[in-house]
Amino acid sequence: MKAFNFKHKLRFEKHKGRTEHMEIEVVLPKDGELLTYPLQQHIGAPAVSLVKKGDMVLLGEKIAEGAARISANIHSGVSGVVEDIKKVLNPHGAYVDAIIIKSDGKMEPHPSIRGVEDVRTLTHRQYLDIIKEAGIVGLGGAGFPTHIKLDPPDPSKIEYILVNGAECEPYHTHDYRVMLEKPGNIRESLDLMLRFFPNAKAILAIETNKMAVIGLYEVLVKNNPRIEVQRLDVLYPQGSEKQLIESCLGRQVPMGKLPGDINVIVINVSTVAAVDAVMRRGRPITRRIMTLSGDAFARPGNYEACIGMSYRSLIEGAGGFNADNQPFKMISGGAMMGNALFNLDVPIIKTDSVVLALSEKIANISKEHPCIRCAKCVEYCPMGLMPYELNVMSIKGDMEAFKKLNGVQCVECGSCSYTCPSKRHLSQSVRTAKRFIMSKRAGA
């Protein structure tokens, strides 16, 4: 299929070389370690706890249930005892309710952890119920519940399922390693998914800085006319679903609409692999594959860790920091879209993917200067917004004006901050305003 392009794109140096060749290593919690499970790890309503202090739990046991239509279940990644249920700080600096579990070191599985005997017998509803029960959400970062995404009003109208393998952030390599190490799982998961969308074609969208993956999947799907590999130019923020749709299909999602409104589903490649894991082995979302990158890590690489472990525990299990380059700045979520980490004793959640540890000689923390009205931020905004105006409205606290300028449509890609010659904190101020508006809508 012909590759298109999208407007307002960026091209910049990638920093994947240190980790893209590192196979995924497993880091497990120690006996007696405390794991923290925030009840809000997804888009939608928080889950509701099913356990109380003192309860014994097993690996894979459901400990919290999504109580609203848009919500997600949460499962324990260890066997052990519930130590407490209280408010904790999450990686984004918010206090949220959480379940604290003390691992007994046994990793004893819950008896419900078993795969489907014959996936060919599944109805679409049964397929969605299994995904819902497993608590699977979008692993590209947004955290939208997957059972909702795969349940459009009329599945026969879906024309394309875009499998997002772009991984356009400069340091991310976890999706690359999943594609490289689990090709059969991804293919089988797609084969099953396509059964429920009779008129859809699946497109594996992969940027051309991942030629090993492209070659592997072109061979893997060559005899399946319903699955195609699409080579994409290396652009940012191509991993954002609306930009990916424009690159792959030449279609634009109207402002305020969703991909489903133009008969498209976009799903992250790691989410596709997670669906296979629950179908094949009954494994709910209890682990997260993370890229640890930056010159301050002793052993940068790709690691599979239990959700609920602290960042500190993961980093220590992965070799700790570089003795010669101590971290000056820590970022969760990537260089462009991530948040500065204020504390390493916060839990890994479902939507986490990358930790950057940068020494002082690498980290560039520039002083913010007054806006010079150059409109660079407008030129490079992939959503066609006016970030400099949104920045003003956020600072003033004028949320009505912010909404009228379509600020809630911002995809938080960070392109505005990256291109601003005055080093304005544009993306962060827009993100702050969006969070305020969303909290008001939720009644917080």
Side-chain angles (χ1 to χ4, degrees):
M1 179 178 285
K2 172 188 173 183
F4 295 86
N5 237 317
F6 60 94
K7 297 178 181 178
H8 314 295
K9 53 192 171 287
L10 282 172
R11 299 175 189 267
F12 44 56
E13 182 183 358
K14 300 288 184 176
H15 300 274
K16 301 177 184 286
R18 296 193 75 198
T19 60
E20 65 181 354
H21 304 297
M22 307 297 291
E23 294 184 2
I24 298 167
E25 296 183 38
V26 177
V27 177
L28 296 178
K30 302 180 183 69
D31 182 7
E33 186 170 328
L34 296 178
L35 284 83
T36 301
Y37 296 90
L39 299 180
Q40 181 74 67
Q41 300 190 37
H42 48 265
I43 286 177
V48 176
S49 177
L50 297 175
V51 295
K52 62 184 185 299
K53 185 176 179 178
D55 284 353
M56 298 296 296
V57 297
L58 298 174
L59 168 64
E61 183 173 346
K62 184 165 66 173
I63 56 174
E65 187 166 48
R69 178 177 179 271
I70 301 180
S71 189
N73 297 336
I74 297 171
H75 301 75
S76 176
V78 294
S79 55
V81 62
V82 177
E83 285 279 301
D84 206 350
I85 299 174
K86 62 180 182 179
K87 287 193 179 296
V88 302
L89 276 170
N90 70 9
H92 308 296
Y95 276 100
V96 294
D97 292 319
I99 300 167
I100 316 296
I101 295 176
K102 184 176 182 178
S103 172
D104 61 12
K106 298 177 183 178
M107 290 291 188
E108 184 179 351
H110 192 269
S112 65
I113 306 304
R114 58 182 183 273
V116 178
E117 288 187 13
D118 187 355
V119 296
R120 294 172 298 179
T121 66
L122 290 176
T123 65
H124 192 188
R125 179 48 52 193
Q126 290 171 328
Y127 173 75
L128 295 172
D129 287 346
I130 291 168
I131 292 171
K132 178 182 179 180
E133 186 63 23
I136 298 175
V137 302
L139 300 180
F144 190 81
T146 302
H147 68 278
I148 299 292
K149 179 173 283 192
L150 296 178
D151 188 21
D154 186 353
S156 68
K157 289 185 177 180
I158 297 299
E159 299 174 58
Y160 293 101
I161 297 174
L162 297 189
V163 182
N164 190 347
E167 200 168 44
C168 61
E169 271 261 8
Y171 288 89
H172 291 40
T173 57
H174 50 93
D175 280 346
Y176 173 78
R177 292 309 311 182
V178 168
M179 288 188 283
L180 208 56
E181 296 181 34
K182 301 182 179 182
N185 306 77
I186 291 169
R187 186 201 62 203
E188 289 190 20
S189 188
L190 276 180
D191 285 342
L192 177 59
M193 194 179 296
L194 285 168
R195 280 189 52 214
F196 306 115
F197 300 95
N199 300 314
K201 182 173 185 176
I203 297 176
L204 284 154
I206 307 170
E207 291 189 337
T208 53
N209 59 350
K210 305 174 184 67
M211 290 308 297
V213 165
I214 288 174
L216 174 63
Y217 281 84
E218 285 179 341
V219 172
L220 196 66
V221 305
K222 67 179 181 180
N223 295 322
N224 190 333
R226 296 189 67 195
I227 305 178
E228 177 182 327
V229 176
Q230 184 152 352
R231 302 183 180 201
L232 300 176
D233 197 1
V234 182
L235 303 171
Y236 184 85
Q238 195 155 235
S240 179
E241 62 180 15
K242 292 185 178 181
Q243 282 64 50
L244 190 71
I245 289 169
E246 194 167 355
S247 285
C248 291
L249 305 175
R251 300 181 184 182
Q252 290 189 343
V253 180
M255 188 75 75
K257 298 292 185 180
L258 298 171
D261 294 315
I262 60 168
N263 304 322
V264 178
I265 290 173
V266 181
I267 186 166
N268 177 266
V269 68
S270 288
T271 311
V272 174
V275 171
D276 179 76
V278 70
M279 296 297 164
R280 184 193 299 264
R281 301 192 300 277
R283 193 177 103 179
I285 290 288
T286 59
R287 296 188 185 182
R288 178 74 236 216
I289 297 171
M290 309 270 289
T291 298
L292 270 56
S293 189
D295 66 327
F297 280 125
R299 293 180 59 240
N302 301 287
Y303 296 91
E304 183 176 298
C306 286
I307 291 166
M309 289 174 64
S310 70
Y311 277 66
R312 188 181 303 280
S313 176
L314 167 60
I315 291 167
E316 289 175 354
F321 295 116
N322 189 332
D324 298 324
N325 290 312
Q326 287 297 299
F328 179 73
K329 189 172 184 66
M330 300 284 297
I331 300 172
S332 169
M336 294 297 291
M337 297 185 69
N339 298 290
L341 273 172
F342 53 90
N343 189 335
L344 294 181
D345 295 312
V346 292
I348 297 167
I349 61 176
K350 293 181 184 183
T351 53
D352 288 339
S353 58
V354 173
V355 186
L356 298 182
L358 306 175
S359 69
E360 189 170 3
K361 67 182 179 182
I362 298 295
N364 180 18
I365 304 177
S366 302
K367 183 180 179 181
E368 193 176 23
H369 297 282
C371 174
I372 61 174
R373 313 288 284 186
C374 67
K376 279 281 186 184
C377 59
V378 178
E379 179 183 350
Y380 285 97
C381 176
M383 296 302 294
L385 306 177
M386 295 188 291
Y388 71 96
E389 290 281 7
L390 295 172
N391 175 240
V392 172
M393 296 306 109
S394 177
I395 293 169
K396 285 183 175 181
D398 190 343
M399 297 300 112
E400 289 306 313
F402 183 91
K403 287 188 283 187
K404 287 178 181 178
L405 290 168
N406 292 312
V408 293
Q409 299 300 320
C410 169
V411 296
E412 302 179 23
C413 66
S415 296
C416 53
S417 297
Y418 181 81
T419 56
C420 178
S422 295
K423 306 303 177 185
R424 303 286 297 166
H425 301 164
L426 302 171
S427 183
Q428 183 58 41
S429 69
V430 173
R431 180 181 292 161
T432 300
K434 282 183 63 181
R435 298 294 183 273
F436 179 83
I437 291 168
M438 298 302 178
S439 68
K440 290 299 181 184
R441 286 179 179 175

